[in-house]
């Protein structure tokens, strides 16, 4: 165990655990959905690198051109998620995983590395203050809250796609864009659908199942985005409790 890290590949994808949803049975359908999503992504340069231990310690990134996010730019790596939790915190794992991503990007002659963050720390997004320690800077922003951070090697910069800055949809009902990348999403969808059906809340679920759809979503999107009454509300995953607060 120790500080040994491994990357998922076609040979070990079926047998290795996906760190962010280890034991909870209600999330196992999401774990399998993620495995299936990863099968097609790994060949495109997608990286899921984790500590060789039974814990939530990993980084997930991909070439920006193939990343399912409304961010555009040339020859960048995009970080979806960098997560260290529980007893593994404060042991240098986040630093080592991020440095491995930066080194990988340089080895591939990329122009830099980028990630979606926020002015204030938010769940499911990388912490801005942590990224700044490694030279990441804000290069674009949406809605005065969400930011695109980048570490440029050559002076070129990525940006949010123009559609991401719309932050609005035409429908007044609860509208959720979602992907298959996060293992927590299927259970969130089930809880939300049940609550809305039982309480008469109009709901529109939009599955983002292609790269083209992900690049064209009308908001900040890392794999999940919520609108209500036409306005973008959050990129935070919802359960029934959080949904009640949002509906007010």
């Amino acid at each position: 165990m120790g500080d040994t890290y491994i990357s998922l590949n076609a040979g070990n994808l079926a047998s290795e655990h996906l760190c962010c949803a280890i034991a909870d049975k209600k999330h196992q359908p999401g774990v399998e959905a993620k495995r299936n999503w990863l099968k097609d992504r790994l060949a495109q340069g997608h990286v899921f690198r984790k500590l060789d231990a039974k814990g939530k310690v990993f980084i997930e990134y991909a070439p920006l051109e193939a990343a399912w996010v409304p961010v555009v730019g040339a020859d960048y790596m995009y970080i979806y998620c960098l997560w260290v939790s529980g007893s593994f915190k404060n042991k240098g794992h986040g630093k080592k995983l991020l440095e491995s991503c930066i080194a990988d990007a340089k080895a591939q002659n990329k122009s830099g590395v980028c990630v979606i963050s926020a002015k204030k720390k938010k769940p499911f997004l990388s912490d801005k203050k942590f990224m700044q320690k490694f030279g990441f800077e804000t290069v674009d922003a949406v809605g005065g809250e969400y930011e695109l951070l980048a570490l440029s090697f050559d002076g070129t910069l990525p940006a949010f796609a123009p559609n991401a800055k719309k932050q609005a949809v035409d429908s007044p009902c609860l509208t959720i864009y979602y992907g298959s990348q996060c293992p927590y999403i299927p259970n969130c969808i089930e809880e939300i659908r049940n609550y809305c059906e039982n309480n008469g809340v109009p709901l529109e679920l939009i599955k983002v199942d292609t790269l083209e759809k992900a690049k064209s979503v009308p908001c900040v999107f890392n794999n999940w985005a919520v609108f209500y009454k036409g306005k973008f509300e959050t990129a935070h995953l919802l359960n029934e409790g959080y949904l009640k607060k949002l509906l007010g």
Side-chain angles (χ1 to χ4, degrees):
M1 190 176 75
D3 287 349
T4 301
Y5 302 93
I6 59 176
S7 295
L8 298 185
N9 55 52
N12 65 16
L13 178 59
S15 58
E16 288 292 338
H17 73 274
L18 299 183
C19 309
C20 47
I22 295 175
D24 196 328
K25 291 183 179 180
K26 69 182 179 183
H27 294 306
Q28 293 317 298
V31 171
E32 293 312 308
K34 168 132 187 149
R35 286 192 204 281
N36 289 330
W37 187 86
L38 280 173
K39 284 179 184 178
D40 297 327
R41 308 285 85 75
L42 292 176
Q44 300 171 355
H46 190 107
V47 174
F48 190 109
R49 184 169 175 79
K50 68 188 189 72
L51 183 68
D52 188 13
K54 201 75 169 181
K56 300 177 183 181
V57 186
F58 70 97
I59 190 170
E60 188 170 4
Y61 61 91
L64 180 57
E65 293 84 349
W68 288 35
V69 290
V71 177
V72 294
D75 298 319
Y76 261 75
M77 283 293 192
Y78 174 79
I79 298 174
Y80 287 105
C81 192
L82 173 58
W83 196 349
V84 179
S85 69
S87 62
F88 295 95
K89 287 184 176 181
N90 302 314
K91 295 183 178 179
H93 293 302
K95 177 178 184 291
K96 291 176 182 177
L97 287 169
L98 181 55
E99 287 178 340
S100 73
C101 171
I102 294 170
D104 188 11
K106 289 182 176 179
Q108 295 187 48
N109 295 315
K110 296 293 185 182
S111 293
V113 181
C114 62
V115 62
I116 293 176
S117 186
K119 283 189 174 181
K120 294 183 179 180
K121 190 173 182 180
K122 290 182 177 293
F124 304 104
L125 290 179
S126 294
D127 180 28
K128 178 180 178 179
K129 290 183 179 180
F130 178 78
M131 304 304 290
Q132 286 177 320
K133 293 178 181 179
F134 295 84
F136 284 76
E137 299 179 342
T138 301
V139 298
D140 204 358
V142 171
E145 184 175 15
Y146 293 91
E147 299 183 341
L148 180 65
L149 308 181
L151 173 64
S152 178
F153 305 149
D154 61 9
T156 63
L157 298 174
F160 282 114
N163 46 275
K165 297 189 177 185
K166 184 179 179 182
Q167 297 286 84
V169 293
D170 293 332
S171 174
C173 69
L174 179 67
T175 303
I176 298 175
Y177 288 79
Y178 70 99
S180 299
Q181 183 182 1
C182 176
Y184 294 116
I185 286 177
N187 184 71
C188 289
I189 292 294
E190 182 179 356
E191 285 195 32
I192 291 166
R193 183 185 282 116
N194 290 339
Y195 180 85
C196 289
E197 288 179 355
N198 293 333
N199 292 275
V201 178
L203 172 67
E204 183 176 4
L205 297 172
I206 302 173
K207 187 171 184 178
V208 178
D209 51 11
T210 68
L211 174 62
E212 292 72 24
K213 286 183 181 179
K215 290 294 187 187
S216 63
V217 292
C219 59
V220 171
F221 178 84
N222 198 42
N223 52 50
W224 179 268
V226 180
F227 292 81
Y228 186 51
K229 296 182 179 179
K231 177 186 174 184
F232 175 76
E233 291 290 345
T234 185
H236 192 306
L237 292 179
L238 301 182
N239 55 26
E240 183 175 318
Y242 196 99
L243 177 58
K244 289 179 181 178
K245 292 181 181 179
L246 186 148
L247 297 176

